[in-house]
Amino acid sequence: PKVTYIEHDGRRFEVDLPEGWSLMQGALLNGVTGIEGECGGSCGCATCHLYVDEAFVDRLPEIAEAEDEMLDCTVAQREANSRLGCQIKMTPDLDGLVVRLPEEQS
Ligand code: FES
């Protein structure tokens, strides 16, 4: 499924991720610098914070408790469309997803 990452400075990365990959993995392996993923995807660092395009918010899995707690620890302001990139796995339903990255992660 295709994903567009938009960096804080406006640079866009359009990539095609294998199903099952997380948005965090996809960013790191495609040179997207706005995501750090320090904890390796175990919901323990909040450095994979991103903002999901409004059109896709309802298609995502619900925020689990661990993710919810970590989202309160992000460096950039938490918004209604904030999610952790490591907790969102690509599915065909998410094809065309657009996410924006905060200015800072840590
Ligand atoms: Fe650490 Fe997502 S990579 S919380």
Side-chain angles (χ1 to χ4, degrees):
K2 293 203 172 57
V3 185
T4 300
Y5 296 91
I6 304 177
E7 302 263 23
H8 193 261
D9 64 8
R11 280 179 303 149
R12 297 170 73 95
F13 290 80
E14 292 183 24
V15 300
D16 200 357
L17 300 184
E19 230 179 293
W21 276 37
S22 76
L23 288 177
M24 183 274 282
Q25 286 175 300
L28 293 191
L29 292 167
N30 285 287
V32 179
T33 56
I35 284 189
E36 290 179 15
E38 232 165 64
C39 75
S42 59
C43 210
C45 71
T47 63
C48 60
H49 179 208
L50 47 79
Y51 302 108
V52 175
D53 189 83
E54 306 291 345
F56 287 86
V57 169
D58 292 343
R59 292 199 221 169
L60 300 177
E62 278 192 35
I63 301 179
E65 199 180 324
E67 182 180 357
D68 191 39
E69 281 172 15
M70 264 301 137
L71 279 169
D72 284 335
C73 305
T74 55
V75 169
Q77 173 86 32
R78 179 178 183 174
E79 306 287 353
N81 61 341
S82 285
R83 294 296 301 254
L84 293 182
C86 67
Q87 300 303 303
I88 298 175
K89 304 273 195 299
M90 289 312 293
T91 62
D93 191 45
L94 292 178
D95 187 48
L97 180 64
V98 177
V99 297
R100 291 179 178 76
L101 308 176
E103 184 170 14
E104 286 184 312
Q105 293 284 12
S106 56

